[in-house]
Amino acid sequence: MSDPVAESPPQQRYSAAMANEIEQRWQAYWTEHGTWLTPNPSGPLRDGWEEVAGRPKVFLLDMFPYPSGSGLHVGHPLGFIATDVYGRFLRMTGHNVLHTIGYDAFGLPAEQYAIETGQHPRATTEANIANMRRQLGRLGLAHDPRRAVATTDPSFVRWTQWIFLQIFHSWYDPEQGVARPIQELVEQLEAGTRPTPDGRAWSELDDIERRRVVDQQRLAYRSQAMVNWCPGLGTVLANEEVTADGRSERGNFPVFRRPLTQWMLRITAFADRLLADLDTLDWPEPVKLMQRNWIGRSEGANVRFPVELGPAAPDVDDGAAIEVFTTRPDTLFGATFMVLAPEHDLVDALIPDAWPEGTDERWTGGHASPREAVDTYRAAASRKSELDRQIEDREKTGVFTGAFATNPVNDQPIPVFIADYVLMGYGTGAIMAVPGQDQRDWDFAEQFGLPIIRTVQPPADFDGQAYIGEGPAISSGLLDGLGIVDAKRTIIDRLEQQGAGSGTVTYKLRDWLFSRQRYWGEPFPILYDEDGMPVAVPEDMLPVDLPDLDDYAPVARPDDEMSEPEPPLGRVHEWAEVVLDLGDGPRPYRRELNTMPQWAGSCWYYLRYLDPTNEKVFVDPDVERYWMLGDGKNPGGVDLYVGGVEHAVLHLLYSRFWHKVLFDLGHVSTPEPFQRLYNQGYIQAFAYTDDRGFYVPAEEVEEKPDGTYEWQGQAVQREYGKMGKSLKNSVSPDEMCESFGGDTLRLYEMSMGPLDASRPWSTKAVAGVHRLLQRAWRAIVDEETGEVHVLEGSPEGETRLALHRAIAAVRDDYEALRFNTAVARITELVNQITKDGQCHRETAEALTKLLAPLAPHVAEELWARLGHEPSVGRQPFPVADESVLASDTVTLIVQVNGKVRERLDVSTSATAEDIEAAARASEKVATYLKDTEVRRVVTNPPTLVNFVVTAS
């Protein structure tokens, strides 16, 4: 890309070459002088504490980045730049700011990249981290480099494993509602104050039985669970790693649902606390709603439907029943069939040898026997992902098991089906189907010719199918005429009296499946003794390091869905089989061969930022309290967490769970990790597809005079989407820094629109922002000589008013994270200086400070040339003179979707209503609002109004 300035610029013009020279020089200065190092109140990082001890603290956090092999594109640093701007502003307003960055370096993507490149994942990961550090370094981010961590660092792995052991050594005490040390449970069992599961006295159990009782109460436990098994990758995948059509996101291999014994974390025990504490957090409401929906708390009843077991059941149990959770027990009289998940434990026990006489052919799937029908259907269901199975509008499929259950409220026999839209991971894996009140059940009933009975009276004008609204109970015996609330209470009482059910609360949230059959992850600090029982690795033996392994790819058998996982760690026999003395003499042990998921390190990395070099504890208590404790107005935690909304559920939920366990055990001082959350938008860009629908490199596409687009001589179609490698529309920050300088890239990304909105990338527009920095430079520095040419003293008239308006507005904008309007205010000030034709020292120094958070390198250079000692980033932020601002009018900035469309003079006392009315009265603004729907009006009286609109 060519230099954006003129062909023969003056020697001292702010050009791309000058920008790069200035930026490299000041970055070297900051590193040499430790300008952005942040001291702790105690411990190894205490140097300099006396200088900041009286300042208010702010802990700024960026979501943990993954060091990709393809490097960064310009969309990646958006949030990092924003937090850097805010942190620099806070330092200038007297705060002690902790801000750093680390690397989430374990996981499947890193392992797959290493396999594809034929290198060891540690080598590729370290190279990717180095490249990412270099790319971010060009942006001049004011991070404390001493605090940077990578999840792959042995010292970090040690404390990740230590936290896992805290979870392993804990149980959830339902009476106290908190996690407690497992030893307390053992003491209660020994004393008889807590019963054993089967009611036997503790003294009657042998050692193995006792250990099993305790192990099943731990917060980290082993259990057989339905998992996403991918034979083609040789590993279990998280739901997020499986596409909607049941294939692996990486490699596009088929994924099957099957039971495997895995490590689980008992996050469900914390469901109510995870829900309740959302109310204490300053988070976007949509994110809170997503977490509430994921946890999915529901009040209802557990209902038992008696069944007769088939001949395959070894012992006929007259008390056998299918247990169902329902939020609508008032509709039980309308339950005309049941549906089990294909994986339900009772399915095999229910199946008779032959179809019952008169079985509808639609129910059999065309199979000769129930066993054949069930086995065939199960095999097909195992090839579908949970996401695919939950799609609402897809065709309902299923087969009859050949068995019937008894509806406990009317003793009517109802057929039992299996269908893949019912999942074992939700509720009990069984539903009572009430087609009159559930559209999925209605669709299923119509397809299979099953009865439909309404139990809630719809309004007279209702002409739909399933009715889910309010109304009196009908066709429901003792419930007829009751409203839903009273009907629920009445039927639950009846069920409890009859022993057929009970009122209960259930959750969509499932315990966290924590095992991965991969090499590139944290090893579990778990051994298995001669009895196959898990034993914790002593803390003084941590970390359990990954062994060096040349062949680290999992055993892949793409065509064998019944293949068993063979974790790569099992190949290192001298590592997997060990003899250790754990206090009772040397004994043989087998190590856990699975590794932890990538989530592990990202659950707690923010705490290690606080005290990264401490080898005695994972964080010093005094240090943790200083940075994490609230101020009395909030419960504490990270002061501001910035990142994409794609992490709104699992990362945040998992981190909150780990943090609560650590809080309960006394290791941290706050019940929540992240007090304030801010989701930045995305940088989007045009992408192009050829006639096959394949993406082509966007930078190679040529726009024709007639508005069409060509790539290598063939027509291509243009679309708009998130910037990324898959769409081949990435723009490298290296290219932008080389062509314009890092300050220009920073300033452009902050000027593109509101931080929480997605915004389109335009390389052409970057040049315009570069020209703004050139004008600011030119106002202070002579382009021919390089000498400062400011006038001593203060400006007068319009320039003085413009200066103090800018100071007041930019301060407000920085505080509110409105960086795009801060750039607009600075632009107005530079325009006024240019119009005035001269720049006074007061203006020059204030302008330099206003620019410092956004464009720190050029600000440092101007500050030094104005005769001051560095760093301008440690200088007090300018304060507006209120007497100057006491004029009759101010300039109102009018924006439409974050873009400045008009400037109007309004009274300094104008209200929100006043400025909105003035903006709407402008003919220019009216043209932008024409043919749109105004969704929201954002005001900051009297200086800003922004209309958020969509095309009508």
Side-chain angles (χ1 to χ4, degrees):
M1 185 175 292
S2 61
D3 193 297
V5 299
E7 292 184 6
S8 300
Q11 193 73 19
Q12 294 298 318
R13 173 167 292 176
Y14 182 76
S15 63
M18 178 182 283
N20 277 278
E21 185 276 323
I22 287 173
E23 288 163 9
Q24 292 174 23
R25 178 157 41 83
W26 282 108
Q27 288 166 16
Y29 175 91
W30 295 333
T31 299
E32 179 183 353
H33 292 83
T35 306
W36 311 124
L37 302 185
T38 304
N40 275 343
S42 60
L45 304 186
R46 197 178 188 281
D47 289 350
W49 172 250
E50 291 76 10
E51 300 174 19
V52 300
R55 299 181 181 182
K57 64 87 186 177
V58 176
F59 183 7
L60 291 182
L61 184 66
D62 298 291
M63 285 195 179
F64 215 19
Y66 162 68
S68 168
S70 58
L72 300 177
H73 60 64
V74 292
H76 287 125
L78 177 66
F80 305 153
I81 296 170
T83 50
D84 187 67
V85 172
Y86 188 53
R88 288 175 177 273
F89 167 72
L90 290 173
R91 291 186 187 93
M92 296 178 75
T93 53
H95 293 78
N96 185 31
V97 178
L98 189 158
H99 194 201
T100 191
I101 201 165
Y103 307 94
D104 190 11
F106 274 128
L108 181 61
E111 185 170 275
Q112 286 299 111
Y113 179 75
I115 292 171
E116 292 165 6
T117 59
Q119 303 177 66
H120 194 280
R122 184 170 298 281
T124 58
T125 297
E126 290 176 353
N128 295 344
I129 289 174
N131 185 50
M132 186 173 181
R133 185 180 288 120
R134 177 194 62 78
Q135 288 186 296
L136 291 177
R138 297 195 69 172
L139 300 175
L141 303 176
H143 293 154
D144 184 342
R146 303 170 304 170
R147 298 177 181 270
V149 298
T151 54
T152 51
D153 296 338
S155 59
F156 191 92
V157 171
R158 170 193 175 188
W159 293 111
T160 301
Q161 293 171 341
W162 180 86
I163 294 174
F164 175 84
L165 290 180
Q166 304 311 298
I167 300 172
F168 177 75
H169 288 310
S170 302
W171 69 296
Y172 192 81
D173 184 340
E175 280 78 24
Q176 297 186 49
V178 296
R180 303 301 305 147
I182 199 73
Q183 185 56 35
E184 292 184 8
L185 173 64
V186 175
E187 292 169 359
Q188 292 180 27
L189 290 166
E190 289 175 341
T193 56
R194 185 170 296 277
T196 61
D198 63 4
R200 287 187 292 164
W202 185 252
S203 59
E204 295 178 17
L205 306 183
D206 62 31
D207 182 60
I208 297 297
E209 289 174 322
R210 291 176 179 179
R211 290 175 65 182
R212 285 176 179 158
V213 168
V214 172
D215 285 352
Q216 285 309 302
Q217 292 295 313
R218 296 180 187 272
L219 292 182
Y221 65 99
R222 296 176 78 235
S223 176
Q224 190 173 82
M226 293 302 301
V227 299
N228 299 310
W229 170 239
C230 180
L233 292 174
T235 186
V236 166
L237 300 178
N239 287 338
E240 304 75 43
E241 297 166 332
V242 183
T243 64
D245 58 353
R247 304 184 76 84
S248 62
E249 192 174 50
R250 284 191 169 261
N252 196 38
F253 294 106
V255 176
F256 305 92
R257 296 286 294 170
R258 57 175 295 189
L260 290 174
T261 299
Q262 306 284 294
W263 278 99
M264 311 288 289
L265 301 188
R266 205 179 302 276
I267 189 173
T268 51
F270 291 76
D272 282 328
R273 285 172 62 187
L274 291 168
L275 272 174
D277 288 352
L278 284 171
D279 294 335
T280 70
L281 303 177
D282 182 8
W283 286 16
E285 281 304 319
V287 173
K288 291 185 180 182
L289 180 61
M290 282 188 274
Q291 291 228 342
R292 291 188 182 105
N293 290 341
W294 190 268
I295 295 169
R297 186 181 191 274
S298 300
E299 295 185 8
N302 276 337
V303 185
R304 290 170 55 83
F305 288 75
V307 292
E308 290 185 10
L309 301 183
D315 297 305
V316 176
D317 182 357
D318 292 336
I322 298 172
E323 189 165 296
V324 168
F325 172 80
T326 174
T327 60
R328 293 295 305 274
D330 57 302
T331 66
L332 263 165
F333 286 88
T336 57
F337 60 100
M338 301 193 73
V339 184
L340 307 185
E343 306 88 358
H344 197 287
D345 291 341
L346 268 180
V347 172
D348 286 323
L350 292 174
I351 301 172
D353 288 335
W355 294 116
E357 186 176 348
T359 298
D360 192 317
E361 290 186 1
R362 287 174 291 182
W363 300 6
T364 68
H367 295 284
S369 69
R371 171 60 62 188
E372 179 184 314
V374 168
D375 288 348
T376 302
Y377 189 84
R378 274 176 158 175
S382 73
R383 294 177 173 86
K384 298 177 183 177
S385 71
E386 284 197 6
L387 289 174
D388 187 39
R389 288 169 63 171
Q390 294 176 81
I391 295 172
E392 288 287 339
D393 57 355
R394 72 182 184 88
E395 182 184 1
K396 298 297 180 289
T397 63
V399 292
F400 181 39
T401 63
F404 289 84
T406 301
N407 190 326
V409 297
N410 57 17
D411 293 329
Q412 292 296 309
I414 56 177
V416 180
F417 288 75
I418 63 170
D420 60 13
Y421 75 90
V422 178
L423 304 174
M424 276 307 299
Y426 296 95
T428 63
I431 66 166
M432 60 174 215
V434 184
Q437 269 68 58
D438 185 286
Q439 190 60 48
R440 289 187 313 171
D441 296 344
W442 180 292
D443 295 339
F444 194 94
E446 284 202 323
Q447 186 161 337
F448 289 90
L450 293 157
I452 296 174
I453 301 173
R454 291 197 190 278
T455 57
V456 177
Q457 180 66 59
D461 59 351
F462 180 73
D463 60 357
Q465 296 175 329
Y467 176 65
I468 60 174
E470 299 279 340
I474 59 174
S475 305
S476 298
L478 77 163
L479 305 181
D480 283 354
L482 297 178
I484 291 176
V485 173
D486 291 337
K488 284 183 179 181
R489 188 181 304 114
T490 301
I491 197 64
I492 288 174
D493 288 344
R494 174 62 65 87
L495 290 168
E496 290 178 343
Q497 291 169 10
Q498 296 177 340
S502 60
T504 190
V505 175
T506 190
Y507 304 86
K508 286 175 61 180
L509 181 67
R510 302 266 68 87
D511 278 347
W512 177 7
L513 191 152
F514 202 67
S515 296
R516 298 293 184 271
Q517 292 69 46
R518 297 198 291 255
Y519 169 67
W520 194 237
E522 297 94 337
F524 281 89
I526 293 292
L527 304 164
Y528 295 95
D529 62 17
E530 294 167 295
D531 297 312
M533 302 291 286
V535 179
V537 173
E539 291 180 13
D540 60 4
M541 292 187 180
L542 301 180
V544 178
D545 293 320
L546 275 176
D548 286 331
L549 190 58
D550 293 329
D551 180 14
Y552 44 82
V555 176
R557 296 186 176 93
D559 300 322
D560 185 4
E561 68 176 273
M562 299 310 296
S563 60
E564 290 294 322
E566 297 182 33
L569 290 177
R571 298 173 201 151
V572 191
H573 298 291
E574 66 276 14
W575 181 89
E577 308 288 341
V578 293
V579 175
L580 298 173
D581 186 349
L582 304 185
D584 52 359
R587 293 190 177 186
Y589 294 94
R590 175 177 56 85
R591 293 193 189 275
E592 170 62 68
L593 301 181
N594 290 321
T595 54
M596 299 186 201
Q598 189 174 359
W599 303 105
S602 63
C603 276
W604 76 280
Y605 70 101
Y606 57 96
L607 291 169
R608 194 59 177 171
Y609 284 166
L610 307 181
D611 202 9
T613 60
N614 197 321
E615 293 301 316
K616 296 180 179 179
V617 289
F618 80 113
V619 58
D620 180 272
D622 291 338
V623 172
E624 187 274 334
R625 280 192 294 271
Y626 172 75
W627 289 111
M628 295 291 284
L629 266 181
D631 57 6
K633 299 177 184 178
N634 62 65
V638 172
D639 295 287
L640 178 63
Y641 196 14
V642 175
V645 75
E646 67 270 19
H647 299 297
V649 177
L650 293 182
H651 159 61
L652 293 175
L653 201 62
Y654 292 159
S655 296
R656 295 177 64 212
F657 164 55
W658 276 41
H659 195 90
K660 286 184 181 299
V661 176
L662 293 172
F663 174 71
D664 289 352
L665 299 178
H667 297 303
V668 296
S669 61
T670 66
E672 286 284 337
F674 314 121
Q675 173 54 34
R676 184 185 179 197
L677 175 69
Y678 191 99
N679 294 130
Q680 93 266 1
Y682 300 111
I683 288 182
Q684 299 175 313
F686 289 116
Y688 302 86
T689 56
D690 59 20
D691 55 8
R692 302 167 300 168
F694 290 5
Y695 289 100
V696 303
E699 71 274 11
E700 299 176 9
V701 173
E702 179 184 0
E703 182 175 2
K704 309 302 290 184
D706 61 358
T708 60
Y709 303 91
E710 283 189 1
W711 175 73
Q712 296 185 353
Q714 63 172 302
V716 291
Q717 299 297 314
R718 188 172 78 165
E719 62 182 60
Y720 198 52
K722 183 180 174 182
M723 184 178 289
K725 182 174 64 174
S726 62
L727 270 62
K728 296 188 177 181
N729 61 351
S730 296
V731 177
S732 168
D734 292 343
E735 180 185 359
M736 292 296 100
C737 288
E738 194 67 33
S739 300
F740 299 100
D743 276 345
T744 295
L745 178 57
R746 290 171 58 106
L747 198 63
Y748 173 65
E749 294 209 1
M750 294 299 96
S751 71
M752 295 170 71
L755 182 59
D756 60 353
S758 294
R759 68 286 307 276
W761 176 266
S762 171
T763 299
K764 293 179 181 178
V766 181
V769 173
H770 185 77
R771 286 192 291 272
L772 169 61
L773 288 179
Q774 287 182 318
R775 294 201 308 276
W777 176 271
R778 189 182 304 127
I780 299 172
V781 177
D782 187 295
E783 290 187 332
E784 298 294 341
T785 66
E787 298 296 322
V788 169
H789 60 176
V790 299
L791 304 176
E792 295 302 319
S794 302
E796 298 294 336
E798 289 186 17
T799 301
R800 187 172 186 228
L801 182 59
L803 171 61
H804 288 277
R805 282 179 179 169
I807 292 172
V810 171
R811 176 184 282 267
D812 289 345
D813 288 338
Y814 281 152
E815 287 179 346
L817 307 181
R818 294 191 301 263
F819 304 130
N820 60 316
T821 55
V823 175
R825 304 289 188 181
I826 292 170
T827 302
E828 292 170 6
L829 176 59
V830 172
N831 290 342
Q832 177 59 39
I833 297 170
T834 303
K835 176 182 175 182
D836 198 14
Q838 57 186 6
C839 184
H840 290 78
R841 177 167 288 275
E842 179 188 359
T843 306
E845 292 179 351
L847 172 61
T848 300
K849 290 181 179 180
L850 295 181
L851 273 173
L854 287 160
H857 309 89
V858 70
E860 289 280 27
E861 185 70 13
L862 291 174
W863 189 248
R865 294 197 183 208
L866 285 166
H868 300 296
E869 293 293 322
S871 162
V872 67
R874 292 292 188 180
Q875 295 298 313
F877 200 79
V879 177
D881 187 332
E882 294 296 330
S883 65
V884 176
L885 297 179
S887 59
D888 292 335
T889 62
V890 294
T891 299
L892 169 67
I893 302 298
V894 183
Q895 296 179 328
V896 178
N897 285 346
K899 294 185 178 181
V900 177
R901 298 303 190 186
E902 178 67 295
R903 292 175 175 83
L904 302 170
D905 289 332
V906 298
S907 168
T908 56
S909 60
T911 65
E913 294 76 14
D914 295 334
I915 62 175
E916 181 179 346
R920 288 182 180 275
S922 164
E923 292 184 4
K924 187 175 181 181
V925 173
T927 61
Y928 287 104
L929 299 184
K930 185 179 180 182
D931 299 327
T932 69
E933 177 186 355
V934 179
R935 304 295 298 273
R936 188 159 52 103
V937 181
V938 181
T939 60
N940 182 24
T943 55
L944 176 70
V945 59
N946 178 31
F947 295 94
V948 181
V949 304
T950 56
S952 60

